[in-house]
Structure formats: structure tokens, C-alpha cells
Amino acid sequence: PPRSTLFPYTTLFRSEEPLIRCLYQSFGFREGVAHVATRRAVAQRLTARRCETLRADVERLADELLDGLQTQCDLVEDLALPFAALTAGRLLDLPDDEALRLGRLTRDVSAAFEPFMTPRQRTRMATSGHALVESLRQGSGLLATVRGDRDGTDEGYHGDLVLLFGAGFDSSASLISLGAKLLLEHSAQAEILRNDPSAIKQGVEEILRFDPPVQLAVRVSTSST
């Protein structure tokens, strides 16, 4: 894409890792028309009304996963990750089995946003990233919406696809695990939520403020005014 449509992450665009180049050319890191066009297309499909129609299904899913927990369990593996993958899959019109598979791949891919990676993480990121892109390219529904007239080999388009699933998956999974950790560390706050379910919404908002899933955000001024 033209240089003027991108934030100045030139060193990242020269990365030897295709997945990193894809992600940092996605619409989340673009500006102006290049950002707005894709964001508008996505927003038209991810409306508050559509999300509300999924509420009952998502609540049922949460109940089923919670009912399946044992006395001793891995909260991340048994609740946070499958819940996040399945809800992201419903938003993107993906079958449940495929959503769970893509969730596992996304865990490996998330290393792309780490400041430092081990050689093992880098290898898994590259392998899983390729599989994730190939799977998402075949998707319909919202995934097809971002395709539009874009060249199917365009790195920015591939980054759009990974960002759509990855952001919806990782933020939800991290919120559940971080929230549980905070409530275990602050038992008085947990007791308030147990005794007053009406405070749960406010509690979730406070967790997002106190320890949000996204810890790093970069903003770059593109002009002097």
C-alpha cells in the first residue's frame, strides 16, 4: 500500500516473519481511508443489535462450560480459551470445531506482539500463522466481508483476517483469566459480586480498567498540527 496510508512501522514491515508483516499492515495499524473502509465494512456486520441476538447463545455456552468444570481444573484451558474461541467463532460465522482449532493456532500467533520471542515461540508462530491465514481466507460471513476487491495475496488483507479473529479471541480469553486472578487476590471484592449479581457489569468494567488484556498501545502523530 502507499506509504502515506500506513503508520510508520517500517522496521516491522521489513520483518523476515510474514505473519508479523501481515499483522502490522492490517487495518488496525492503518490510517485514513485505508483504515476507515475496512472498519466500516466490519462495523456494519458487528452491530449492537446482532451481538444482542447472540446473547442467549453465549450465556448458554458459558453455563455449559462452567457446569463441565471439575473441582480441580485448568481455568484457562477448560473455560477461558474454549469460551473465547467459540464466541469469536459465532461472531465470524465459523463452525464450533473450526473455531476451537483456530483458537489453538491463535495462541501461538499471539507471540507476534511480544517484545521478545524465544526461538521455539518464533517457530510455532510462523507455522501456526501460516495455517491460520490459510483457514481464515476460506471463511464466509464477516471474513468474506473484508475480502471485497482486495487481492487475495495482499499481506494487509491477511493481517485483517488474523486481527479479526485474534482480537476477538485473545481479549476475551485474557479477561476471564485475569479477572479470576484479580478476584482470587481480592476476596472482599469477589464477595461483593457473589452477594450482588447486579454489580457484575461494573466489576467487569473495573477489571478492564485495572488490568486490561491489552497492555501496550502505540499512537504516532502523523502531522505537526
Side-chain angles (χ1 to χ4, degrees):
R3 178 68 184 83
S4 61
T5 66
L6 298 168
F7 287 122
Y9 293 110
T10 53
T11 57
L12 293 168
F13 298 152
R14 292 197 298 267
S15 171
E16 296 179 359
E17 297 294 343
L19 180 67
I20 293 179
R21 292 201 308 270
C22 288
L23 283 170
Y24 283 95
Q25 292 182 70
S26 68
F27 73 95
F29 294 88
R30 298 167 76 90
E31 62 179 352
V33 175
H35 168 81
V36 172
T38 304
R39 179 175 178 174
R40 182 179 294 120
V42 172
Q44 289 174 348
R45 295 291 300 274
L46 286 181
T47 62
R49 179 178 296 179
R50 177 164 185 257
C51 291
E52 186 62 30
T53 64
L54 296 173
R55 180 183 294 275
D57 188 31
V58 170
E59 290 177 348
R60 178 189 58 77
L61 174 62
D63 288 339
E64 290 178 354
L65 290 171
L66 288 169
D67 289 344
L69 296 180
Q70 304 298 315
T71 303
Q72 291 186 342
C73 65
D74 185 323
L75 188 71
V76 175
E77 293 290 338
D78 298 335
L79 176 63
L81 295 181
F83 177 79
L86 291 170
T87 51
R90 280 161 169 72
L91 285 172
L92 299 179
D93 302 314
L94 295 169
D96 285 352
D97 289 346
E98 179 69 352
L100 290 170
R101 185 179 74 85
L102 296 183
R104 290 190 289 270
L105 293 175
T106 302
R107 290 195 72 191
D108 297 336
V109 168
S110 64
F113 292 106
E114 295 294 336
F116 304 100
M117 281 185 286
T118 65
R120 181 180 180 183
Q121 284 178 311
R122 186 176 294 275
T123 298
R124 292 178 64 180
M125 179 200 69
T127 302
S128 297
H130 176 75
L132 184 62
V133 167
E134 289 304 308
S135 297
L136 293 173
R137 284 179 62 186
Q138 302 172 27
S140 57
L142 187 58
L143 295 172
T145 297
V146 302
R147 186 175 300 130
D149 297 326
R150 297 281 291 275
D151 182 351
T153 62
D154 178 68
E155 288 187 334
Y157 164 61
H158 294 168
D160 291 346
L161 297 178
V162 175
L163 185 67
L164 272 177
F165 184 85
F169 165 80
D170 189 66
S171 296
S172 299
S174 297
L175 170 62
I176 292 171
S177 52
L178 288 171
K181 178 177 180 293
L182 285 173
L183 291 174
L184 288 171
E185 293 173 345
H186 299 81
S187 58
Q189 300 300 309
E191 189 64 22
I192 291 174
L193 298 183
R194 290 193 192 97
N195 295 332
D196 183 10
S198 66
I200 290 177
K201 181 178 180 181
Q202 183 179 354
V204 171
E205 292 176 351
E206 179 61 12
I207 289 170
L208 286 170
R209 184 201 66 80
F210 187 78
D211 194 4
V214 178
Q215 295 284 348
L216 176 65
V218 178
R219 289 178 172 83
V220 178
S221 175
T222 58
S223 69
S224 60
T225 58

